[in-house]
Amino acid sequence: MTTDGFKDEVRLVRQELTTAMATVMDLARAGKAFGGEWDTAVERERKAHKKLRQLLNGPLVSFGKGNHSQRTLLRNLHRQS
């Protein structure tokens, strides 16, 4: 994966995780922490967390001089935001 590809993927995954977490929190605040809608929302959040973990624990990528872990790239990306 290229550095730009990694950055794009991180943005997408972060957006999905934020949206999924917001849905879970909205349901909890509304007293709907049960049933099919809740189960679907929690599963979506779990999948987003899993995707982020897989992305961050993935192989090294080239970033400038030398190789850095994807966690380092994420930290750098976060600082740029």
Side-chain angles (χ1 to χ4, degrees):
M1 176 183 303
T2 66
T3 302
D4 288 336
F6 174 76
K7 288 178 181 180
D8 291 341
E9 187 70 17
V10 167
R11 281 188 199 103
L12 290 173
V13 172
R14 285 177 63 189
Q15 182 179 13
E16 172 61 16
L17 181 56
T18 299
T19 302
M21 288 172 55
T23 300
V24 168
M25 295 305 297
D26 288 346
L27 288 170
R29 279 191 293 272
K32 298 179 181 178
F34 54 87
E37 187 177 11
W38 173 258
D39 293 340
T40 300
V42 169
E43 183 60 26
R44 179 182 179 193
E45 184 182 20
R46 285 182 185 146
K47 286 180 180 181
H49 275 284
K50 181 178 179 181
K51 177 90 173 168
L52 184 59
R53 280 192 313 272
Q54 288 172 338
L55 185 61
L56 295 178
N57 292 326
L60 299 177
V61 297
S62 177
F63 183 67
K65 293 184 178 181
N67 288 328
H68 299 276
S69 72
Q70 290 184 355
R71 287 183 182 160
T72 301
L73 293 175
L74 182 61
R75 244 182 275 126
N76 291 339
L77 178 65
H78 182 68
R79 288 179 187 149
Q80 293 173 4
S81 301

